[in-house]
Amino acid sequence: MGLLLLLASALLTSHFHTGSQVDAQTAFTIRSVRLTIEPGTDVARGTDVTVRCQAAVSSSGQETLTREYTIYKEGIVVYTKTTSSSEDFLYPLSEARASNSGKYKCKVSIQSRSLESNAEKLTVTGLSDPVLHLKKGVVTEGEDVTVRCTAPGETGSFFFYFYDNSKEIYGVQANTNQTETTLHFATGIHRVHCTYTVFILPDSFKSNKSNTVNVSVKELSIMPFLKVSPQSMIYEGDRLNISCSVRGYLPSSESIELHLSRENDLLSTGYSEISHSMLAPANVPELRFECRLTSGNVVKVVTNNVPVTELFSTPTLTVSPAEVFQREKMMLTCKSQRYATERINESELTYTLDPEERARPTMSRGVFLSTAPPEDINYTCTAEAKGIKKQSQALALRPKVSVSTPFISVLGTAILGQTIQIHCDTAKGSLPINYTLIKGYEPVAWKTVHLFSEKAVFSITINKTEDIKQYMCAAANSHRGELLGERLSANVIEPLTWATLSAVPDLDDLSEGQQLHLICKVKGSMPVTFKWYRVGSAIPLNITTVQQKHKDYHVPVLSKEHNGQYYCEATNPAHIMVRSEELSIEVRLALWKKALIGGMILLVVSLLVLAMCVLHYKSKRGRETYSPPATLASYK
């Protein structure tokens, strides 16, 4: 029993002691974290700035809490410190620069808990003035000049700019606050300064100008010399001799290189003197030659513009006639309108045609005869004299196609007495095509078709069906005259003009049980659509379309129910409806019914007569057999 009490006591003691430690370690909360910038968020360059982080933490235990402070700039950690002090955490920025500008934020972490402050933006205005330094202020043409630009006291990412007489001549990026480079200047006096830009993403800040330094560049006594012979009265095809040489003295040991060129064509290269010979080309009114001297960084150029006189003009190629039709004769003429009479005469000019397979030269210079091909073709010609060749512009020959025999047709339906659309067309032929509508042998209308989407359509009116055959078309698109087509063959629809309705058998002979044929007859063109109606009903009794001008409606067995008024209507493709007059149908009794009724009447009459006779007879006999009773007197 004693051992059990001892164990129980030990367990209880251990339980209460452990619980007190847990409460002491976990009872805290971070209520808020606040970041401030002192003396303010907008400060001038060189100001001492303090980033203050205040953390409000509540705890119940006596144990000191360990805090970890983290300072962020633009989301990047710039400083971290762990402390057990509850005082505000201070992050100093001594003599703040533009590179210190940005958004700052503070985070406080205690054990597994953390809390961040709101972000505050610091803006540091003002940059130090750049300083420019040159190793030499006086140099010789082509000599390097070493320059250095410094941004005193600044940090960050830089871009330095160098200026010559206020014009930017060089720029370079650097990760330090200074850069050194080599510049080259032309002869003369140059006023050089520099500036820089500091990049603090997403912003950038530009400095003022640096000090200005003068650079004096002395010219070397060396020059290129360019000579062109002959110097004047140069014609196309003349031979030119061009030389490029050096004049003057080069004091240094640098080598000299010469380049002779015309426009973008390099003609020759060398060292002390170079030359080139050539013929003055055609169609170049002025030749520009350049002699370039290069020695180290020294480049000197001299140019010479040489005018060139035209020997003869570029030829022109023409065709006659202006409108050429396939497989017709044509004449091609190649001609230079101008030539230098002081250098050549007209007989020295020769002309060739390309392609020449289909052309035959004539006795006249530059004139060729040919037959227009069935397909499109491009011709050019070349004029030549004294080794100079000039080619004409291409002559695009598009031989036209003569019209074929035209054909004539009716658009839609031809209806007598109404406007008819007549269409004239051809199977082939180049536009424009002139169409003529002819009646008999007299032209009555004209139309010119300029586009493939156009149609030659003529409006006429036909008053007699046979008039349609008098029309035909003529077509032309060349000087050869018109082609005449065949006469128009088309069906002309004659509109219906009247309708009549008759009956078979005759209306006076209609009786029950007979057949009836209601015949509707019209005048006009077929096919005809017939309709029969009974007055009082809008629904036709029958509808039929036939290739004839009359049709009947058959009633197989007549009855009294067929009594009434009847009429018919008719139409044809002219869509003009005609209506007959109304026809009265009255159906009489059948003969057997008449005989039966007559027989019955005779029977009734006979029976009545017989009855009367019997009655009369009986009445008479009765009077004869009757005698009066005897009286008393008679007995006596």
Side-chain angles (χ1 to χ4, degrees):
M1 177 63 74
L3 180 59
L4 292 174
L5 291 174
L6 181 60
L7 289 173
S9 175
L11 288 172
L12 289 172
T13 303
S14 172
H15 170 74
F16 286 113
H17 179 71
T18 304
S20 64
Q21 286 182 343
V22 170
D23 292 342
Q25 291 178 359
T26 58
F28 74 91
T29 181
I30 305 174
R31 300 199 315 274
S32 64
V33 178
R34 179 170 176 263
L35 182 141
T36 58
I37 298 176
E38 300 170 356
T41 55
D42 294 312
V43 298
R45 172 185 175 276
T47 303
D48 290 334
V49 176
T50 299
V51 178
R52 181 184 295 272
C53 185
Q54 295 176 308
V57 180
S58 298
S59 62
S60 60
Q62 299 299 319
E63 185 177 345
T64 302
L65 298 174
T66 301
R67 312 180 184 192
E68 182 184 72
Y69 289 91
T70 304
I71 304 296
Y72 296 87
K73 178 189 174 187
E74 300 295 344
I76 299 173
V77 177
V78 295
Y79 189 76
T80 299
K81 184 176 181 180
T82 301
T83 179
S84 58
S85 173
S86 61
E87 298 293 327
D88 293 349
F89 175 71
L90 304 180
Y91 174 59
L93 298 173
S94 301
E95 296 184 357
R97 297 289 187 265
S99 59
N100 296 128
S101 299
K103 289 184 179 180
Y104 288 84
K105 189 166 58 174
C106 171
K107 183 174 78 171
V108 175
S109 300
I110 302 176
Q111 296 181 15
S112 61
R113 302 178 186 177
S114 63
L115 188 64
E116 291 184 353
S117 69
N118 291 330
E120 291 289 338
K121 184 175 181 179
L122 171 64
T123 302
V124 181
T125 57
L127 295 173
S128 61
D129 291 338
V131 177
L132 178 66
H133 175 74
L134 274 67
K135 289 187 176 180
K136 292 177 66 175
V138 179
V139 295
T140 305
E141 182 182 10
E143 187 177 350
D144 294 338
V145 177
T146 301
V147 295
R148 183 174 67 251
C149 187
T150 305
E154 300 297 339
T155 59
S157 179
F158 297 85
F159 205 98
F160 290 92
Y161 304 89
F162 294 89
Y163 298 84
D164 177 12
N165 295 326
S166 300
K167 180 180 179 181
E168 182 184 327
I169 57 173
Y170 184 70
V172 62
Q173 185 177 359
N175 293 321
T176 62
N177 66 340
Q178 71 173 9
T179 187
E180 185 173 287
T181 188
T182 300
L183 301 177
H184 306 286
F185 298 96
T187 57
I189 303 298
H190 301 268
R191 295 175 58 80
V192 183
H193 72 271
C194 70
T195 62
Y196 67 89
T197 297
V198 180
F199 295 96
I200 299 97
L201 296 178
D203 300 318
S204 62
F205 303 90
K206 191 169 184 178
S207 72
N208 295 323
K209 293 181 180 180
S210 71
N211 55 304
T212 300
V213 179
N214 291 337
V215 177
S216 177
V217 182
K218 297 180 179 180
E219 185 177 8
L220 290 173
S221 59
I222 186 173
M223 287 292 294
F225 178 73
L226 178 62
K227 181 181 179 181
V228 179
S229 179
Q231 297 181 354
S232 62
M233 297 300 293
I234 300 172
Y235 287 83
E236 295 172 336
D238 287 354
R239 180 159 295 281
L240 300 177
N241 295 306
I242 310 102
S243 64
C244 174
S245 58
V246 179
R247 289 189 176 181
Y249 170 69
L250 184 64
S252 66
S253 59
E254 291 282 352
S255 62
I256 297 175
E257 189 173 358
L258 296 175
H259 300 268
L260 177 62
S261 59
R262 180 176 74 88
E263 302 295 342
N264 295 325
D265 297 330
L266 183 62
L267 305 178
S268 182
T269 60
Y271 299 101
S272 59
E273 182 175 359
I274 54 178
S275 62
H276 181 75
S277 180
M278 60 178 287
L279 296 178
N283 300 317
V284 181
E286 186 177 71
L287 298 173
R288 179 180 176 86
F289 295 101
E290 178 185 279
C291 178
R292 178 180 292 265
L293 181 152
T294 304
S295 178
N297 295 325
V298 177
V299 177
K300 294 194 174 186
V301 178
V302 62
T303 60
N304 190 352
N305 295 335
V306 178
V308 178
T309 305
E310 183 181 66
L311 187 63
F312 56 89
S313 61
T314 300
T316 56
L317 181 60
T318 57
V319 64
S320 178
E323 284 191 342
V324 177
F325 285 81
Q326 293 177 356
R327 296 182 176 85
E328 287 190 353
K329 297 294 183 182
M330 65 178 182
M331 183 171 66
L332 297 164
T333 303
C334 182
K335 185 73 173 178
S336 289
Q337 302 298 327
R338 303 179 307 276
Y339 61 93
T341 56
E342 63 274 19
R343 288 296 185 95
I344 61 173
N345 54 55
E346 189 175 8
S347 62
E348 293 182 79
L349 278 168
T350 60
Y351 299 97
T352 56
L353 189 68
D354 182 32
E356 60 181 357
E357 292 80 11
R358 297 173 177 172
R360 177 171 55 86
T362 65
M363 298 298 294
S364 299
R365 190 178 301 275
V367 179
F368 304 86
L369 293 179
S370 184
T371 301
E375 70 279 350
D376 296 349
I377 189 172
N378 290 338
Y379 280 101
T380 59
C381 74
T382 302
E384 182 177 1
K386 292 190 176 297
I388 294 296
K389 294 182 179 181
K390 294 186 178 182
Q391 189 178 65
S392 70
Q393 290 187 349
L395 173 65
L397 194 63
R398 306 291 182 260
K400 300 182 71 174
V401 179
S402 298
V403 294
S404 58
T405 302
F407 52 87
I408 188 170
S409 61
V410 173
L411 296 180
T413 304
I415 300 175
L416 196 67
Q418 296 185 14
T419 300
I420 300 173
Q421 301 290 318
I422 291 183
H423 178 213
C424 292
D425 201 359
T426 58
K428 63 178 182 178
S430 298
L431 300 176
I433 299 176
N434 299 315
Y435 291 96
T436 304
L437 181 65
I438 299 173
K439 181 180 181 182
Y441 292 97
E442 294 295 328
V444 293
W446 298 264
K447 184 175 180 62
T448 300
V449 174
H450 297 275
L451 302 173
F452 289 109
S453 58
E454 288 185 86
K455 289 185 177 181
V457 179
F458 303 93
S459 298
I460 64 169
T461 302
I462 300 294
N463 295 316
K464 298 180 182 179
T465 55
E466 59 270 18
D467 287 350
I468 196 77
K469 298 179 181 179
Q470 297 185 32
Y471 290 92
M472 54 185 174
C473 288
N477 68 345
S478 68
H479 57 279
R480 295 190 300 178
E482 295 180 324
L483 287 179
L484 195 62
E486 295 182 353
R487 293 191 180 274
L488 177 59
S489 177
N491 184 34
V492 179
I493 301 299
E494 179 183 356
L496 301 181
T497 55
W498 54 262
T500 60
L501 183 64
S502 59
V504 175
D506 190 81
L507 295 178
D508 296 333
D509 298 330
L510 298 179
S511 60
E512 291 180 322
Q514 287 184 311
Q515 296 185 22
L516 175 66
H517 293 272
L518 293 175
I519 302 171
C520 190
K521 187 176 181 180
V522 296
K523 181 182 179 180
S525 296
M526 301 174 290
V528 181
T529 299
F530 293 95
K531 297 180 183 180
W532 289 265
Y533 293 87
R534 184 175 184 176
V535 175
S537 175
I539 300 174
L541 299 171
N542 190 29
I543 301 175
T544 183
T545 300
V546 293
Q547 288 287 346
Q548 54 191 31
K549 299 182 181 181
H550 60 84
K551 184 63 179 173
D552 68 305
Y553 168 57
H554 180 225
V555 181
V557 180
L558 280 173
S559 67
K560 284 289 187 178
E561 294 180 355
H562 292 103
N563 289 346
Q565 301 293 113
Y566 292 83
Y567 65 92
C568 69
E569 292 180 350
T571 59
N572 69 355
H575 302 294
I576 296 177
M577 188 269 290
V578 292
R579 175 174 170 169
S580 70
E581 293 183 355
E582 294 178 1
L583 191 67
S584 180
I585 301 297
E586 184 177 352
V587 182
R588 296 177 176 84
L589 288 174
L591 291 176
W592 66 272
K593 288 186 178 181
K594 291 180 181 180
L596 179 62
I597 293 172
M600 290 181 68
I601 292 173
L602 289 175
L603 179 60
V604 170
V605 171
S606 299
L607 291 174
L608 289 173
V609 171
L610 180 60
M612 290 178 67
C613 290
V614 171
L615 290 174
H616 176 71
Y617 173 76
K618 287 182 176 181
S619 175
K620 183 177 180 181
R621 186 178 179 183
R623 284 196 302 270
E624 290 178 355
T625 58
Y626 175 75
S627 60
T631 63
L632 181 59
S634 62
Y635 285 109
K636 293 180 171 180

